[in-house]
Amino acid sequence: MDQDSLFGSDGQALDADGTRARVRALRKEIEHHTYLYYAKDAPEISDAAFDSLMRELRELEQAHPELIDPTSPTQRVGGYVGEQFSPVRHAVRMYSLDNAMGLEELDEWLARTVEAIGHPVPFCCELKIDGSSIALTYEAGVLTKAATRGDGTTGEDVTVNMRTVRDIPLRLRDAGIEGLVDPDASIEVRGEVYMPKRSFESLNAAAAAQGRQGFANPRNAAAGSLRQKDPTVTQGRDLSTFLYAIADDAPVRAESQWDLLKWLGDCGFHVNPDVKRCDTPEEVHRFCEEVADRRDSLPYGIDGVVVKVDSFAIQREMGFTARAPRWAIAYKFPPEEKTTVLRDISVQVGRTGAITPVAELDPVRVDGSVVARATLHNLDEVHRKDVRVGDTIIVRKAGDVIPEVLGPVLSLRPEGAIPWEMPAMCPSCGSPLVREDGEAAFRCVSIDCPAQATERLIHWASRGAMDIDGMGEEIVARLVESGRLTDVADYYSLSEYDLATLETGRTNKEGEPVHLGSTIAAKLIASIEASKARPFGRVLFGLGIRHVGKTTGAQIAAAYPSMDALMRASEEDLAAIDGVGGIIAKSIRAFLETPDNREVIHRLGVLGVRMEDVRTEGEDVPQTLAGITFVLTGSLVESGMTRDEAGSRLKAMGAKVSGSVSKKTGYVIAGEAAGSKYDKAVALGVPVLSEADLLRLLETGSLEAAGIA
Ligand code: AMP
């Protein structure tokens, strides 16, 4: 540290050189304390002293704007002007990891790996952080780019937002630069950005207080916070990082993963201290077991342990499969199972009137988030599982997200607990519930049921449908209650004033009602506006026509890409569409012929909701992809399209879409976490396209124009 030039804070005027030196010294000092605080969790000075250094630097920079530099700690927001979220092609692909589900599979992998190498080797074991992957580029020691993983080949530019995350250095520390073969080299380090459990909970609590829906888990919260348009929003979210990899290890003097982690620490990155270098498979096994036992007590979420062959030389020899390194495995924890008390079974009325029993639980934390409710699906399921109010029950997360009730702990059943029965009346409108022959669900068949109307409105705004960002269930319910929203077309005549003045149902300290406010209102208006341009298949799904799910919506739109064309289609025409049978065709016709529905559809069109697919206007779409077969694999995370939606849009241009790869396949489109179809494509030499390629293809309608052929 350049202590000498730290003198001078006694108010004496500094000359130009003195000012420059003082600014430099202050920056170094602040960077050092930021590093100690965020990356080392070991602050050496008080917050007040830190703030005072920052204030002085800010004042000097204000007085001498010529000294401002984008790497200054004052410039985390606004010090860099980049194109937010534009595509970034990774210099080296960001791979996924193969999984070992359970310790047995882990042991098998370890034995296989040691055998393939031919002698015992050390393994580096790290926690598998449950966040979002990030790649940071530094040129000559200065942060120049931050990108998400995206589909592994192309990610999104999130530099502006990542700069606000305080545990990443804007400039590498000297000790790290000294570890580089060439100090001016461009390097890309990789790791995970995550949200600590406690911050995730307070963020969700704050969202609930404003009547908004929170994030499903800390991973989504991290990814969502990173994708904010306004960097000050990201800055206000408590995001942290752990760095653990480099795209290409050539510029670093490191021979192993263990050395690399040490070097990353020298650079000033936050490196997870919970790592272990194990000399034997047995040690790896024990470490994984031990971590599984204490995962709950960690302040951030993890979903396993990543085991890597430590030596870079051996890693290079082993190489990669199409999707993952051969020298690493992710040991995944079995889903957590927790017990809690079933306080009640309530019933929910769906948008089609179907009644769903819901378990109301004493809140319990399962795999990183708090579970208080879980669907019990239908009456038969409640009886089959034999869960009764008052029971102690076992819950877990199915597929990491949806809470599931496994069953009761019978030995703890309270005396007198009786089997649950469906209520006779709809809890919303009081009409008798009916169960049609052969159906599992009970239904409220009243057309005036307010609960169904609200559910239809929620459905329209939901992610898979029109995706009106921020329009959570509570806000919709309030809009309905206050008479501002009756049917889905009403969304498009809401004014900012209507929304800003909506009562949230809460009161402030003075006992006055709290309104939604103009900031949220403006955001909602923007989201509503954006929803007008959703593909026509989403409109069909969003309308809530019985039996028309997301996939069917897309299939119908591929055959009839506009509302006018669909209105003219007969029941027979509809039944002939791939994936649409007689029952669905009947349901669509019945919906389209109901005068109230026609009126809503008409108003949607007048208010600007796009009732046709742009590239597929009319019925004569140019068949530019005729004769070409595509196979889709992985998920299309950037656009949020389902594979069926993408497939339907390709088909509309004459392409064939197949479920399996063969020599005849023209192209494989690989989204995130692409599976064995990707491997097969590589083996057969079939060209592989990224999601970005697909989007360009859909937009331009031609392989040439999309730069593919
Ligand atoms: P998955 O998404 O399940 O295929 O797992 C692969 C992802 O795990 C990688 O892309 C990383 O984002 C993430 N990950 C979390 N912690 C680590 C770690 N310590 N080493 C490698 N990858 C990790």
Side-chain angles (χ1 to χ4, degrees), residues 199-220:
S199 316
F200 163 70
E201 267 151 33
S202 41
L203 181 67
N204 270 3
Q210 292 179 339
R212 286 181 294 118
Q213 212 165 3
F215 290 102
N217 52 44
R219 182 184 40 218
N220 291 359

Side-chain angles (χ1 to χ4, degrees), residues 95-97 99 126-129 132-133 149 191-192 244 303 306 308 323 330 332:
Y95 285 89
S96 174
L97 288 170
N99 291 328
E126 299 163 25
L127 305 188
K128 187 167 186 296
I129 310 301
S132 191
S133 340
R149 176 166 95 171
E192 209 76 2
Y244 48 72
D303 61 342
V306 184
K308 302 171 183 171
R323 64 177 291 270
K332 289 272 184 111

Side-chain angles (χ1 to χ4, degrees), residues 28 47 137 202 214 260 265 346 427 454 463 484 498 601 633 643:
K28 258 204 146 150
D47 289 0
T137 304
S202 41
L260 180 77
S346 60
T454 306
R463 257 196 107 180
R484 290 165 168 88
D498 288 337
I601 290 170
T633 175
R643 288 206 298 240

